[in-house]
Amino acid sequence: MRGWSPTSCFFPTPSPGGPTTPRRRAELAALPFTEQDWLERSETRSVTGEAGYTVLEKLWTRPAAEIITMVAGDPVGVTRSAIPAVASATISIRTVTGQRCADVAEQLRRWVAETISEAVDHRLTVAEETMQEPYETPQDLPALEALVAAVEDGFGVPAGRMGNAGGGPAELLARELGCPVMFFGTGLPEDRWHDSDERVSIEMPVNGAATLAYLWQRLA
């Protein structure tokens, strides 16, 4: 979803599900990444999650479930000695290649039904209208090599293959248009994407526009 730093840019392609292939692991391991740099720039306390995978593999090759909101009682003000009658939470689930949104939604329904006590009245709403099937850009697509070269021309640094933790309607576009979809990143970890204080370094979209110009030439 994001680029890396003002002095190095790597374009993302949605990552495969299932076991991470040796080729994909080698591509991610080749990126100039350190866990400490990630923690500082993303303002993160620690890195946890699925065992056996690196931070970048967790970010771009594995499914994820994130609690986006959680509300109960009075979130601000004086503490009240009252048990909230109602609580709510919003969960965002990232699917990867090899999964289907409908199957994951059914798994979630089963987990809620089997886990939450019958003593608690609860309701699960799945926002099916926002479901987006996972998509992976074909790794042998010749245009990818053109994009690698265009990124290096546009940003003036070596380029590598990242991943994309949010591909939007890529699968729908590829299916309806009958052609593959590619991505390249123009954001930074410190841009706080989607937050109230989101920002952008002007250098990034400017270099991104240059990348597109170089890409058209190379595709021709």
Side-chain angles (χ1 to χ4, degrees), residues 174-193:
R175 174 162 40 88
E176 293 297 321
L177 298 177
C179 64
V181 176
M182 298 190 303
F183 297 82
F184 74 95
T186 57
L188 303 172
E190 52 266 40
D191 285 348
R192 306 184 183 95
W193 280 32

Side-chain angles (χ1 to χ4, degrees), residues 13-21 24-25 27-28 53 57 60-63 95-99 134-137 139 162-164:
T13 56
S15 305
T20 307
T21 65
R24 191 73 183 106
R25 286 194 158 185
E27 290 174 344
L28 296 179
Y53 296 92
E57 290 168 359
W60 297 322
T61 72
R62 305 299 300 163
T95 55
V96 295
T97 303
Q99 294 182 307
Y135 176 79
E136 179 184 1
T137 304
Q139 293 298 304
M162 291 174 61
N164 190 357

Side-chain angles (χ1 to χ4, degrees), residues 7 18 20 24-25 34-35 57 64 85 91 120 125 129-130 137 163 213 219:
T7 56
T20 307
R24 191 73 183 106
R25 286 194 158 185
T34 67
E35 186 170 312
E57 290 168 359
I91 303 174
V120 179
T125 301
E129 67 276 6
T130 65
T137 304
L219 286 177

Side-chain angles (χ1 to χ4, degrees), residues 5-7 155 186-188 190-191 193 198-208:
S5 75
T7 56
F155 285 82
T186 57
L188 303 172
E190 52 266 40
D191 285 348
W193 280 32
E198 182 176 1
R199 49 140 275 179
V200 63
S201 172
I202 298 300
E203 179 184 8
M204 300 301 289
V206 169
N207 290 344

Side-chain angles (χ1 to χ4, degrees), residues 33-149:
F33 169 88
T34 67
E35 186 170 312
Q36 185 60 35
D37 180 64
W38 170 259
L39 292 175
E40 292 176 358
R41 297 179 62 187
S42 64
E43 301 179 21
T44 305
R45 174 186 291 270
S46 62
V47 175
T48 59
E50 195 175 8
Y53 296 92
T54 67
V55 174
L56 297 185
E57 290 168 359
K58 293 174 186 177
L59 284 173
W60 297 322
T61 72
R62 305 299 300 163
E66 303 165 336
I67 299 176
I68 305 301
T69 65
M70 182 179 293
V71 180
D74 294 324
V76 295
V78 178
T79 302
R80 303 178 187 276
S81 297
I83 298 174
V86 179
S88 65
T90 303
I91 303 174
S92 174
I93 297 179
R94 181 179 70 217
T95 55
V96 295
T97 303
Q99 294 182 307
R100 291 183 64 255
C101 289
D103 295 336
V104 175
E106 182 57 30
Q107 289 175 325
L108 177 61
R109 292 187 181 98
R110 286 203 310 268
W111 182 88
V112 168
E114 296 170 358
T115 304
I116 299 181
S117 169
E118 293 183 357
V120 179
D121 183 25
H122 62 276
R123 180 179 64 189
L124 172 65
T125 301
V126 178
E128 297 187 15
E129 67 276 6
T130 65
M131 288 183 177
Q132 299 171 1
E133 298 295 344
Y135 176 79
E136 179 184 1
T137 304
Q139 293 298 304
D140 57 352
L141 185 68
L144 281 178
E145 295 305 320
L147 181 55
V148 170

